[in-house]
Amino acid sequence: MARMASKELEQLKHTVPLEVLAESQGYTLRKQGKDFVVLCPFHTEKTPSCVISPGKNLYHCFGCGGGGVGAGLAATH
């Protein structure tokens, strides 16, 4: 499989809403205030601790400390 050019990857990070990308990867999102919570893809858990912030297009897991931009979350699935 060919790798995506870094310029294209950076554009993807800033143009594709993270919540849309997460749902397309099969994650179940739950609205919590202005953010969404989801089970973290980096560790096993029963209660969602990974927060997706649509306004910033970032994610952060309060359980393991993982976080970043959309492409990182999609790459783990």
Side-chain angles (χ1 to χ4, degrees):
M1 179 183 289
R3 290 183 55 125
M4 183 179 284
S6 60
K7 183 179 178 181
E8 292 172 337
L9 183 59
E10 284 302 314
Q11 183 179 9
L12 176 69
K13 290 178 185 178
H14 298 290
T15 57
V16 177
L18 183 51
E19 65 275 15
V20 172
L21 184 61
E23 284 184 322
S24 75
Q25 295 293 313
Y27 294 102
T28 302
L29 304 176
R30 188 180 79 219
K31 186 81 167 152
Q32 186 171 336
K34 62 182 179 177
D35 298 326
F36 294 94
V37 293
V38 63
L39 292 174
C40 181
F42 304 114
H43 64 97
T44 305
E45 61 183 3
K46 294 181 181 180
T47 305
S49 63
C50 189
V51 177
I52 296 175
S53 300
K56 298 176 184 175
N57 211 31
L58 297 172
Y59 68 94
H60 177 77
C61 177
F62 289 95
C64 70
V69 293
L73 185 66
T76 62
H77 190 67

